[in-house]
Amino acid sequence: MAFLNMELQTWAFTFGILGNIISLMVFLSPLPTFYRVYRKKSTEGFQSTPYVVTLFSCMLWIFYALLKSGAELLVTINGVGCVIETVYLGMYLVYAPKAARVLTAKMLLGLNVGVFGLVALVTMVLSNGGLRVHVLGWICVSVALSVFAAPLSIMRQVIRTKSVEFMPISLSFFLVLSAVIWFAYGALKKDVFVAAPNVLGFVFGVAQMALYMAYRNKKPAAAAVGMVEEVKLPAEHASKEVAAAVAHEGSRASCGAEVHPIDIDTLTLPVVEVHDPQIVVVIDVDVEPATTCTAAAAAGADGVASVVDGPGVPTAPEQPAMIKPDMAIAVEA
């Protein structure tokens, strides 16, 4: 009997070591996310709630393991988890917007300081002996169940969008493996508080993997996509697009050979300093309106100015400009 008990303890220790290794990999899984936060100096809308809750869970499990004898492996992995989650939250507080920082600070003070302090006070003052361990154990189970149930929102998003972008298979696989190993550890140690929540963790992990296999080749539903990506054109391409649009607008306007009348009373001519004196002559002409687009195009962009080579000697364009009645012509003299 003693030999069998020793064998069970050996297997429990082995599963505990494996559980530490796999749980460490689960704790380190958000590293790419926080490397992205560090590189871009922005949290980009990531939420801090999972990390606050995970830190709270690690603190409770450390407290439970310190009260219960023979649970040193729970202390080691949850102690490492507290350090990792604290680093994550520190980076979040550095790079998050002010509103997100304030919310995260409130959650840390309320949950990790206030609620944990209340739990410690209740278990240490109102309970004693084995009852203290049982009370704290059931509190740990309830928190662990809430942590395991957190992926339900992601599973619902996968079903709605038919996309597994936000549910990587690697994380689901390690969660299932971790649940199996810690269940075995709890069963060998005859610790129901460690074994029980990992049953639900195993069920949710298998469900996530099944969803991944079902939707991995599905195209995301277009109607379910809630975000519209902003497409930015390169500067050179954008300038070409604008130039083409302006040219098209100009050709469309000039094709009608329209020249708008100038109101002499309200016209304000710019004052330009020149070396040679110039005289501006305003002439009222009575010419038939243009009827063809070709004549208007040949007249130039202005459609109203004649070019002169010398004083008083105008040089006519290849084709005469078609000008509407009552138009003003500026002639250099």
Side-chain angles (χ1 to χ4, degrees):
M1 189 67 181
F3 175 76
L4 180 61
N5 189 29
M6 185 178 299
E7 284 292 324
L8 290 178
Q9 293 301 320
T10 302
W11 280 105
F13 180 79
T14 302
F15 277 105
I17 294 296
L18 291 175
N20 273 249
I21 296 173
I22 295 176
S23 296
L24 178 62
M25 298 178 69
V26 174
F27 282 133
L28 294 177
S29 61
L31 270 180
T33 298
F34 281 92
Y35 175 73
R36 179 179 174 182
V37 169
Y38 170 76
R39 185 165 50 86
K40 295 191 174 182
K41 311 299 182 186
S42 172
T43 55
E44 297 183 323
F46 290 114
Q47 301 296 320
S48 62
T49 305
Y51 311 105
V52 174
V53 175
T54 303
L55 177 60
F56 178 62
S57 177
C58 290
M59 293 169 62
L60 284 177
W61 281 113
I62 290 176
F63 188 32
Y64 170 80
L66 292 176
L67 293 179
K68 182 179 175 65
S69 60
E72 292 80 8
L73 292 177
L74 291 178
V75 176
T76 56
I77 185 56
N78 286 286
V80 173
C82 283
V83 174
I84 294 175
E85 298 301 324
T86 301
V87 172
Y88 289 159
L89 289 170
M91 290 184 62
Y92 188 91
L93 290 174
V94 170
Y95 296 114
K98 182 178 179 180
R101 290 200 302 267
V102 171
L103 179 61
T104 302
K106 289 181 178 179
M107 287 192 297
L108 285 172
L109 291 176
L111 188 63
N112 299 82
V113 177
V115 176
F116 180 78
L118 182 61
V119 169
L121 180 64
V122 169
T123 54
M124 295 300 293
V125 174
L126 301 182
S127 304
N128 52 35
L131 182 60
R132 180 183 303 167
V133 175
H134 278 75
V135 170
L136 185 57
W138 284 114
I139 294 175
C140 290
V141 168
S142 62
V143 174
L145 291 178
S146 65
V147 172
F148 282 128
L152 286 176
S153 59
I154 301 178
M155 295 170 65
R156 183 179 61 182
Q157 183 179 5
V158 169
I159 296 174
R160 186 176 69 252
T161 62
K162 295 180 173 52
S163 172
V164 294
E165 178 183 1
F166 300 101
M167 192 179 69
I169 186 63
S170 58
L171 181 58
S172 301
F173 173 75
F174 282 115
L175 286 175
V176 170
L177 193 57
S178 176
V180 171
I181 290 178
W182 282 113
F183 173 79
Y185 172 83
L188 292 172
K189 296 287 288 186
K190 298 179 181 180
D191 191 337
V192 65
F193 302 116
V194 175
N198 285 286
V199 174
L200 186 61
F202 174 79
V203 172
F204 283 151
V206 171
Q208 290 182 48
M209 295 180 67
L211 276 179
Y212 184 90
M213 298 302 293
Y215 291 104
R216 61 176 180 172
N217 295 324
K218 298 281 187 179
K219 293 183 178 180
V225 178
M227 296 184 299
V228 178
E229 296 183 356
E230 180 182 0
V231 179
K232 295 183 179 180
L233 296 175
E236 181 180 358
H237 181 69
S239 61
K240 291 181 179 179
E241 293 292 333
V242 173
V246 172
H248 175 71
E249 184 67 22
S251 62
R252 183 177 63 85
S254 63
C255 189
E258 295 183 1
V259 181
H260 297 282
I262 299 177
D263 190 353
I264 302 300
D265 296 332
T266 60
L267 178 64
T268 302
L269 296 176
V271 179
V272 181
E273 294 183 2
V274 294
H275 297 287
D276 297 331
Q278 293 183 350
I279 301 175
V280 177
V281 181
V282 179
I283 305 173
D284 291 333
V285 295
D286 187 7
V287 185
E288 290 296 327
T291 57
T292 63
C293 179
T294 305
D302 295 336
V304 294
S306 298
V307 182
V308 296
D309 293 334
V313 184
T315 301
E318 295 181 1
Q319 294 183 3
M322 298 302 177
I323 308 175
K324 288 187 176 182
D326 301 328
M327 304 312 301
I329 302 179
V331 182
E332 294 180 351

